[in-house]
Short mmCIF file of all heavy atoms in Angstrom, two decimals:
data_model
loop_
_atom_site.label_atom_id
_atom_site.label_comp_id
_atom_site.label_asym_id
_atom_site.label_seq_id
_atom_site.Cartn_x
_atom_site.Cartn_y
_atom_site.Cartn_z
N TYR A 3 -13.72 -34.22 -3.70
CA TYR A 3 -13.48 -33.61 -5.01
C TYR A 3 -14.77 -33.36 -5.76
O TYR A 3 -14.91 -32.37 -6.47
CB TYR A 3 -12.53 -34.48 -5.83
CG TYR A 3 -11.17 -34.59 -5.21
CD1 TYR A 3 -10.73 -35.80 -4.70
CD2 TYR A 3 -10.35 -33.49 -5.11
CE1 TYR A 3 -9.48 -35.91 -4.11
CE2 TYR A 3 -9.11 -33.57 -4.52
CZ TYR A 3 -8.66 -34.79 -4.03
OH TYR A 3 -7.44 -34.88 -3.44
N THR A 4 -15.75 -34.21 -5.60
CA THR A 4 -17.05 -34.03 -6.24
C THR A 4 -17.74 -32.78 -5.71
O THR A 4 -18.29 -31.99 -6.48
CB THR A 4 -17.95 -35.26 -6.00
OG1 THR A 4 -17.26 -36.44 -6.40
CG2 THR A 4 -19.25 -35.15 -6.76
N ILE A 5 -17.68 -32.57 -4.40
CA ILE A 5 -18.28 -31.37 -3.80
C ILE A 5 -17.57 -30.12 -4.29
O ILE A 5 -18.21 -29.13 -4.66
CB ILE A 5 -18.26 -31.47 -2.26
CG1 ILE A 5 -19.19 -32.59 -1.79
CG2 ILE A 5 -18.66 -30.14 -1.63
CD1 ILE A 5 -19.08 -32.90 -0.33
N LEU A 6 -16.23 -30.15 -4.34
CA LEU A 6 -15.47 -29.00 -4.83
C LEU A 6 -15.78 -28.70 -6.29
O LEU A 6 -15.93 -27.53 -6.68
CB LEU A 6 -13.96 -29.22 -4.64
CG LEU A 6 -13.45 -29.18 -3.21
CD1 LEU A 6 -11.98 -29.55 -3.17
CD2 LEU A 6 -13.67 -27.81 -2.60
N LEU A 7 -15.91 -29.73 -7.13
CA LEU A 7 -16.27 -29.53 -8.53
C LEU A 7 -17.67 -28.95 -8.65
O LEU A 7 -17.91 -28.06 -9.48
CB LEU A 7 -16.18 -30.84 -9.31
CG LEU A 7 -14.77 -31.32 -9.64
CD1 LEU A 7 -14.80 -32.71 -10.25
CD2 LEU A 7 -14.10 -30.34 -10.59
N PHE A 8 -18.61 -29.43 -7.83
CA PHE A 8 -19.97 -28.91 -7.86
C PHE A 8 -20.01 -27.43 -7.47
O PHE A 8 -20.64 -26.62 -8.13
CB PHE A 8 -20.85 -29.74 -6.92
CG PHE A 8 -22.28 -29.29 -6.89
CD1 PHE A 8 -23.11 -29.47 -7.99
CD2 PHE A 8 -22.78 -28.65 -5.77
CE1 PHE A 8 -24.42 -29.04 -7.97
CE2 PHE A 8 -24.09 -28.22 -5.73
CZ PHE A 8 -24.91 -28.41 -6.83
N ILE A 9 -19.29 -27.06 -6.40
CA ILE A 9 -19.23 -25.66 -5.97
C ILE A 9 -18.58 -24.81 -7.05
O ILE A 9 -19.04 -23.71 -7.36
CB ILE A 9 -18.48 -25.54 -4.62
CG1 ILE A 9 -19.32 -26.16 -3.51
CG2 ILE A 9 -18.18 -24.08 -4.30
CD1 ILE A 9 -18.60 -26.29 -2.19
N GLY A 10 -17.51 -25.30 -7.66
CA GLY A 10 -16.84 -24.58 -8.74
C GLY A 10 -17.75 -24.38 -9.94
O GLY A 10 -17.78 -23.33 -10.57
N PHE A 11 -18.54 -25.42 -10.27
CA PHE A 11 -19.49 -25.33 -11.40
C PHE A 11 -20.55 -24.27 -11.11
O PHE A 11 -20.88 -23.45 -11.97
CB PHE A 11 -20.14 -26.68 -11.66
CG PHE A 11 -21.21 -26.62 -12.71
CD1 PHE A 11 -20.87 -26.48 -14.05
CD2 PHE A 11 -22.54 -26.68 -12.36
CE1 PHE A 11 -21.85 -26.41 -15.02
CE2 PHE A 11 -23.54 -26.62 -13.31
CZ PHE A 11 -23.20 -26.47 -14.65
N ILE A 12 -21.12 -24.26 -9.91
CA ILE A 12 -22.15 -23.28 -9.55
C ILE A 12 -21.57 -21.87 -9.59
O ILE A 12 -22.18 -20.95 -10.13
CB ILE A 12 -22.75 -23.59 -8.17
CG1 ILE A 12 -23.59 -24.85 -8.26
CG2 ILE A 12 -23.58 -22.43 -7.65
CD1 ILE A 12 -24.12 -25.34 -6.93
N PHE A 13 -20.37 -21.70 -9.04
CA PHE A 13 -19.73 -20.38 -9.03
C PHE A 13 -19.44 -19.91 -10.45
O PHE A 13 -19.72 -18.78 -10.80
CB PHE A 13 -18.45 -20.42 -8.19
CG PHE A 13 -17.77 -19.09 -8.10
CD1 PHE A 13 -18.33 -18.06 -7.36
CD2 PHE A 13 -16.57 -18.87 -8.75
CE1 PHE A 13 -17.72 -16.84 -7.28
CE2 PHE A 13 -15.94 -17.65 -8.67
CZ PHE A 13 -16.51 -16.63 -7.93
N SER A 14 -18.91 -20.77 -11.30
CA SER A 14 -18.57 -20.36 -12.66
C SER A 14 -19.81 -20.11 -13.50
O SER A 14 -19.82 -19.23 -14.36
CB SER A 14 -17.67 -21.40 -13.34
OG SER A 14 -18.37 -22.61 -13.52
N SER A 15 -20.89 -20.85 -13.28
CA SER A 15 -22.11 -20.58 -14.05
C SER A 15 -22.72 -19.25 -13.63
O SER A 15 -23.30 -18.55 -14.46
CB SER A 15 -23.13 -21.72 -13.86
OG SER A 15 -23.55 -21.77 -12.51
N GLY A 16 -22.57 -18.88 -12.36
CA GLY A 16 -23.03 -17.56 -11.91
C GLY A 16 -22.20 -16.44 -12.53
O GLY A 16 -22.71 -15.37 -12.82
N LEU A 17 -20.92 -16.69 -12.74
CA LEU A 17 -20.05 -15.68 -13.36
C LEU A 17 -20.40 -15.48 -14.83
O LEU A 17 -20.28 -14.37 -15.35
CB LEU A 17 -18.58 -16.08 -13.24
CG LEU A 17 -17.95 -16.01 -11.87
CD1 LEU A 17 -16.51 -16.48 -11.93
CD2 LEU A 17 -18.02 -14.60 -11.32
N GLN A 18 -20.84 -16.51 -15.52
CA GLN A 18 -21.16 -16.39 -16.94
C GLN A 18 -22.36 -15.49 -17.16
O GLN A 18 -22.46 -14.84 -18.19
CB GLN A 18 -21.41 -17.77 -17.55
CG GLN A 18 -20.16 -18.60 -17.59
CD GLN A 18 -20.43 -20.03 -18.02
OE1 GLN A 18 -21.56 -20.41 -18.23
NE2 GLN A 18 -19.39 -20.82 -18.12
N ALA A 19 -23.27 -15.40 -16.23
CA ALA A 19 -24.44 -14.55 -16.38
C ALA A 19 -24.09 -13.08 -16.12
O ALA A 19 -24.83 -12.20 -16.49
CB ALA A 19 -25.53 -15.00 -15.42
#
Side-chain angles (χ1 to χ4, degrees):
Y3 296 112
T4 306
I5 293 171
L6 289 174
L7 284 173
F8 180 70
I9 291 171
F11 174 74
I12 289 174
F13 182 70
S14 66
S15 65
L17 289 178
Q18 292 172 358

